[in-house]
Amino acid sequence: MEEYLVPLVTPCVYYCPNVVSTTEAEEYYTTLKKEVPWTKTSKINRWVALYEENDANDYKYRDAPGQQTSQPFSDAILFIKQKVEELYEKHTGTKVEFNT
């Protein structure tokens, strides 16, 4: 069983309206809904898709549906990733780089 430190030192959720315009948000939502190969299994009762920037990464999602292969980030995912990294740095002063 994993242990978690509570309370968290850094908040793990930020609500930031208008990070992108409503039009952009709707376009990315439509794109992701259409292009991402979402998968759901009885073991993991949520929709998932595995992506990573570097396929040399040894991390494997233990409850991955089907085979444990990931895909490279799409342009839409890279855009969102960049926005989230910028937003996190703005709120915390800490630069992060999400890779999976």
Side-chain angles (χ1 to χ4, degrees):
M1 184 82 156
E2 295 179 53
E3 291 184 33
Y4 298 95
L5 299 175
V6 178
L8 297 173
V9 176
T10 304
C12 55
V13 176
Y14 293 99
Y15 174 69
C16 303
N18 305 319
V19 172
V20 296
S21 70
T22 301
T23 302
E24 271 185 308
E26 289 172 354
E27 289 172 0
Y28 281 109
Y29 176 77
T30 301
T31 298
L32 293 175
K33 194 172 166 187
K34 181 172 46 172
E35 294 179 0
V36 172
W38 299 104
T39 306
K40 184 176 179 181
T41 68
S42 59
K43 186 172 183 178
I44 48 171
N45 190 24
R46 65 185 177 280
W47 292 97
V48 297
L50 302 178
Y51 284 86
E52 63 184 329
E53 194 166 26
N54 179 354
D55 61 4
N57 184 355
D58 289 333
Y59 175 79
K60 299 299 176 206
Y61 187 59
R62 70 175 180 200
D63 294 328
Q67 57 190 22
Q68 290 238 0
T69 57
S70 59
Q71 302 177 64
F73 291 152
S74 67
D75 290 342
I77 291 173
L78 284 172
F79 173 82
I80 295 166
K81 174 185 177 294
Q82 179 184 359
K83 284 288 191 186
V84 170
E85 289 169 351
E86 291 169 359
L87 188 66
Y88 188 86
E89 184 175 8
K90 178 182 172 185
H91 280 279
T92 67
T94 303
K95 187 171 176 71
V96 295
E97 185 176 333
F98 299 110
N99 63 358
T100 55

